[in-house]
Amino acid sequence: MALARFFRSCEEISPRLLTRDREIIAPLCSDWTRRVAGGAAALVRPSTEEELAAVVEAAVQADVQLHLQGGNTSLVAGATPFGDSVLLSTARLRSIADPDLPSLSITAEAGATAAEVNAALAPRHLKLGVDLASRESATIGGMVATNAGGIHVVRYGSMRTQLLGIRLVTPAHGAIGRLSPLYKDNTGPDLAAIAAGSEGLLGVVASAAIKAVPILEHSVVALLSFPSFAAVAEAARRIRLSPVVSALEFMTAPGMDLVSRHLGRSLPLVGEVFLLVEFESAFQLLDHVAEVLEDVAPATSALAFDARGKAELWRWREAHTEAIARAGIAHKMDVSLPITDLVEFVEWIEGAFAADHRSLDAYLFGHLGDGNVHVNLIGAEPGDLGPDEAVLAKAASMGGSISAEHGIGRIKAPLVHLVRTPSEIAALYALKDAFDPGGILNPGVLLPSPRGGHAIANAAPGRLA
Ligand code: 2HG
Ligand code: ZN
């Protein structure tokens, strides 16, 4: 009944808005990791903010749940639809305005990818401060909704800090917010900051005004190897003091071996733990980089100065996700720890945790400069939350976070209590209620939904849609 009413409203808004074609919908109903797969009764793809607002209003009127999706690169089932719901894709909201040079910013609609926005900025020697391996598919809307981090947080911060303004379509208040070129605007709570990281609970991001940063002429990428994680952490502590570091990433030997097999290339360096460091500056860097490397004294190192060499070194870091996906269905724990506790955490995973979970293969890598470790486990049943909970509870007990940059999604929603008190969770539900009193947006994401079950319980684990 409700769906039929919603379908009729969509038809009135635009005849090309909604499809029920299984061949189009099915590929969008699986998490990128393949760990969970769901389904949707229909797919709606608005092309303008007005259409988007009309769709949300129609869903409110018909009491139909909307599951939101950008580039479908979520690694925590944040964009996987379930049940008799409707998948709302921002894929057709793609326009990108010309860069605003006086305010060093750019406005883009939610469905534009990071790569497309960067392509619009490049002729002006500008780029986004946030960059991530999934740049060809990750969309601006998803990056705002998850407060995306990526490889340059150590230099520029995460997505929330890049936002000058947003337009947000909310069930309770329609389309609100503004695409402002203002760097300063202290007129109450900042809607963009509230929406960033809210994972589609409060509204659908229609567009965002985002700061841009200059493309710096001089850059050097260094791949360094060390005998232990403790040695890497000490090197990172020193490298972080350099004012021109724009990425400070780590990888470990098991992941590097997997990438080596995946790419069909032999390892460029031998070692147990690796650091990938990018230095970027408007000025010549060689003396500075030589000084930093002399100070940290890696066991072995490889440096790249030209675009091709730099891309090749980056590939060793960025190919981890695809190499792991090829090896199996990964349980992904995206934790952050106080920098001083990283060594203890990694030693716990490789020691006590590994001893308790001998059937699992663990791959550790991440954004060391941000204290962000990506723990990838292969070998567990997709529906088994046990290993996830053990790792996340450990990070939480050490004062860390159970989501550094991927979000909570549907997979970790039952574990939010590890890092939020009952009062904080009640406040989040109250915030949700103020924007979406009917609970129609993204049920089951971030907060366990009174209306929708948990992804793991609902999905056919590991089954590809
Ligand atoms: C990255 O840093 C992404 O490459 C993906 O955040 C991490 O695959 C992962 O666990
Ligand atoms: Zn990451």
Side-chain angles (χ1 to χ4, degrees):
M1 243 339 238
L3 275 177
R5 180 173 171 197
F6 176 75
F7 293 166
R8 274 197 306 278
S9 301
C10 285
E11 183 64 27
E12 280 161 25
I13 297 164
S14 162
R16 58 187 291 273
L17 192 57
L18 184 138
T19 178
R20 301 178 69 186
D21 185 335
R22 305 306 316 159
E23 281 188 18
I24 299 176
I25 297 173
L28 305 176
C29 292
S30 179
D31 185 52
W32 193 92
T33 60
R34 294 168 290 141
R35 187 172 172 190
V36 289
L43 167 70
V44 274
R45 287 172 291 184
S47 306
T48 62
E49 182 186 298
E50 291 68 33
E51 279 187 9
L52 173 60
V55 166
V56 171
E57 178 58 20
V60 170
Q61 294 306 329
D63 193 24
V64 161
Q65 299 187 341
L66 298 174
H67 295 267
L68 313 182
Q69 191 175 95
N72 201 13
T73 58
S74 173
L75 301 173
V76 289
T80 312
F82 286 94
D84 226 7
S85 62
V86 172
L87 181 59
L88 168 52
S89 163
T90 54
R92 288 181 180 160
L93 286 161
R94 281 201 114 84
S95 78
I96 302 173
D98 287 339
D100 179 343
L101 295 183
S103 75
L104 280 189
S105 68
I106 189 160
T107 293
E109 284 192 313
T113 65
E116 287 164 354
V117 177
N118 273 326
L121 288 166
R124 304 301 193 153
H125 302 286
L126 295 171
K127 62 179 184 177
L128 294 175
V130 170
D131 190 17
L132 60 188
S134 55
R135 56 186 73 82
E136 300 292 334
S137 320
T139 59
I140 295 301
M143 289 166 70
V144 173
T146 57
N147 185 25
I151 56 181
H152 294 317
V153 172
V154 71
R155 176 83 160 252
Y156 299 116
S158 57
M159 197 67 186
R160 181 181 285 119
T161 62
Q162 319 293 311
L163 295 173
L164 295 179
I166 60 164
R167 292 282 294 163
L168 189 72
V169 174
T170 68
H173 312 289
I176 55 174
R178 62 178 179 158
L179 300 170
S180 168
L182 300 179
Y183 270 65
K184 290 180 144 183
D185 181 12
N186 280 354
T187 46
D190 178 8
L191 183 66
I194 293 171
S198 66
E199 300 191 40
L201 244 61
L202 310 179
V204 190
V205 175
S207 49
I210 314 159
K211 291 179 201 168
V213 299
I215 294 177
L216 300 172
E217 201 183 322
H218 299 272
S219 78
V220 178
V221 174
L223 182 65
L224 316 173
S225 78
F226 295 85
S228 67
F229 189 79
V232 153
E234 173 55 20
R237 191 185 64 76
R238 290 160 182 252
I239 293 170
R240 225 167 167 270
L241 298 174
S242 160
V244 292
V245 168
S246 63
L248 184 46
E249 307 276 309
F250 86 99
M251 298 82 85
T252 50
M256 289 292 272
D257 288 340
L258 208 59
V259 172
S260 164
R261 288 200 293 280
H262 173 61
L263 299 179
R265 291 188 205 159
S266 45
L267 288 165
L269 301 177
V270 285
E272 287 305 314
V273 192
F274 301 80
L275 265 186
L276 186 142
V277 192
E278 186 170 86
F279 300 88
E280 285 183 284
S281 168
F283 308 103
Q284 206 272 99
L285 276 167
L286 292 184
D287 293 346
H288 176 71
V289 171
E291 224 172 89
V292 173
L293 296 189
E294 197 180 308
D295 182 37
V296 300
T300 56
S301 61
L303 296 186
F305 305 92
D306 61 292
R308 190 170 155 195
K310 286 185 270 190
E312 273 177 17
L313 290 187
W314 264 113
R315 196 85 182 100
W316 287 100
R317 163 63 182 85
E318 293 200 325
H320 268 66
T321 301
E322 62 202 50
I324 290 168
R326 199 164 157 191
I329 293 177
H331 288 223
K332 288 184 178 283
M333 275 67 75
D334 158 42
V335 301
S336 65
L337 277 300
I339 306 266
T340 42
D341 295 336
L342 279 171
V343 175
E344 183 188 333
F345 177 77
V346 168
E347 287 178 353
W348 175 80
I349 296 265
E350 291 177 341
F353 178 82
D356 279 354
H357 298 83
R358 289 186 193 282
S359 60
L360 305 185
D361 292 323
Y363 300 99
L364 269 55
F365 61 97
H367 315 284
L368 193 55
D370 318 327
N372 183 181
V373 181
H374 293 308
V375 180
N376 277 244
L377 301 175
I378 292 200
E381 281 303 312
D384 181 6
L385 258 191
D388 309 51
E389 187 161 2
V391 172
L392 298 176
K394 177 70 178 175
S397 74
M398 294 176 67
S401 170
I402 66 167
S403 168
E405 57 172 6
H406 296 169
I408 294 292
R410 290 185 171 83
I411 291 184
K412 289 186 275 189
L415 302 176
V416 170
H417 65 88
L418 292 174
V419 283
R420 294 286 176 262
T421 63
S423 307
E424 287 165 354
I425 292 176
L428 279 180
Y429 275 115
L431 187 62
K432 165 85 173 155
D433 217 35
F435 282 78
D436 178 20
I440 63 158
L441 293 183
N442 267 0
V445 170
L446 180 50
L447 296 168
S449 166
R451 292 183 53 164
H454 177 227
I456 297 286
N458 280 352
R463 179 174 61 81
L464 273 168

